[in-house]
Amino acid sequence: MTIKLDINPIKAWLPNINNPLLISGPCSLETEEQVLATAKLLAKDDRVHIYRGGVWKPRTRPGSFEGVGSIGLKWLQMVKQETGLPVGTEVANAQHTEEALKAGLDVLWIGARSTASPFVVQEIADVLKGTDAVVMIKNPVNPDAQLWMGAVERIHQAGIKNIVAIHRGFTPFRETKYRNYPNWKTFIELKRMLPNLPVICDPSHIAGKREYLLEISQKAFDMGMDGLMLESHLDPSVALSDAAQQLTPANLAKLLDKLIIRHQTANNPDFENQLDLLRNRIDSIDSELLEMLSSRVEIVKQIGKYKKDNNVTALQINRWTELMENRVNLGKDMDLNETFVKILFQLIHEDSVRMQTEIMDK
Ligand code: PEP
Ligand code: MN
């Protein structure tokens, strides 16, 4: 299902942008000096478009640094005045939103914990009504594209057209290499529902550690995302929040140097022709695949009838185990990913059993 919402492209509110959108700045604003010194360094790099900094920090457990509060808005105003960079912060309730709008911030974003709560999103949307704010919406902590989409719709219903979604990963259900696992398929689902919604990636909160920032940032560009939000700090080792994932502005520049920017198209007829040829081949292979699946279905039905006539069960677990082992091994010999082959045959087999039980119950 594709939904058409009149959401503006990034260029509509940031007309000078020619590269992917880059938002950077500290996880939390800590002191006036830190805020301004970081901003001045970032402003020297023309790849940085927007300065970010958390004023009110959503912490999982109480007792850790919860942000400097409203004074931080003044520091952001100073950044804007002194560097010319647009500034943004996270808002998590009506009062934050009112204060941030009053302070003239250029970008407001809704954090992952807030997106998970429709009440919170609605309360923010109600304050935004009648403004031309730029609102960014992080994914909810759980990989639910509908909930993410719902938040986008609530903000859009308030009349906001400058919307960007931010993919920041999802709470893992077990220990993983990343702090928040990047379930790319949830991003793809959102993009499928809302093709014209700009989506950027927040590798900092996905990674949790500096060492993974490059691979996630590159993956975001490979997936066609519209930009990045990367946390930066003058001295990450003493940061009051998210110390392990922040980069110094100098290391941010080094990371950006390494990234390969990809485009929706190459603007080159040779590339288009070659791509068309390859796509034609894929199209005919896909149609062969479907024909083969259809021949398989014919045989499954014959087996179903044969089992029915002999009062034999549709599901035969030994056969299933053998089949799976055999297919995974065959796949391995052909360099196919083991999980992919498993899932594929689980689906194929599940449907075979479904068809056979239907035949039996007729
Ligand atoms: C942040 O951007 O600093 C933040 C708290 O992000 P998230 O809502 O993604 O956890
Ligand atoms: Mn952070």
Side-chain angles (χ1 to χ4, degrees), residues 129-140:
K129 243 175 231 155
T131 73
D132 61 355
V134 175
V135 182
M136 304 201 176
I137 304 170
K138 291 206 176 191
N139 61 258

Side-chain angles (χ1 to χ4, degrees), residues 268-299:
N268 164 353
D270 278 350
F271 166 82
E272 295 295 338
N273 289 343
Q274 192 55 29
L275 187 64
D276 271 352
L277 283 177
L278 292 169
R279 283 183 171 160
N280 286 342
R281 282 171 62 189
I282 287 280
D283 290 348
S284 67
I285 292 176
D286 282 353
S287 99
E288 277 175 45
L289 270 174
L290 287 168
E291 271 170 33
M292 286 196 202
L293 281 173
S294 151
S295 323
R296 193 181 192 282
V297 164
E298 280 314 307
I299 300 182

Side-chain angles (χ1 to χ4, degrees), residues 27 52 57-58 90 109 111-113 138 168 202 205 231:
C27 175
R52 67 149 279 158
K57 296 303 298 176
E90 171 178 346
W109 80 82
R113 296 158 190 80
K138 291 206 176 191
R168 53 73 82 193
D202 170 352
H205 291 89
E231 288 182 341

Side-chain angles (χ1 to χ4, degrees), residues 125-133 158-160:
D126 290 343
V127 178
L128 291 168
K129 243 175 231 155
T131 73
D132 61 355
I160 304 297

Side-chain angles (χ1 to χ4, degrees), residues 78-139:
M78 291 162 79
V79 166
K80 194 173 168 176
Q81 248 167 29
E82 295 195 19
T83 67
L85 281 175
V87 291
T89 200
E90 171 178 346
V91 292
N93 59 35
Q95 195 201 325
H96 295 163
T97 314
E98 275 160 18
E99 286 189 42
L101 287 176
K102 202 155 144 229
L105 298 203
D106 304 280
V107 171
L108 312 184
W109 80 82
I110 300 179
R113 296 158 190 80
S114 305
T115 307
S117 165
F119 288 129
V120 170
V121 176
Q122 192 56 53
E123 130 175 11
I124 294 171
D126 290 343
V127 178
L128 291 168
K129 243 175 231 155
T131 73
D132 61 355
V134 175
V135 182
M136 304 201 176
I137 304 170
K138 291 206 176 191
N139 61 258

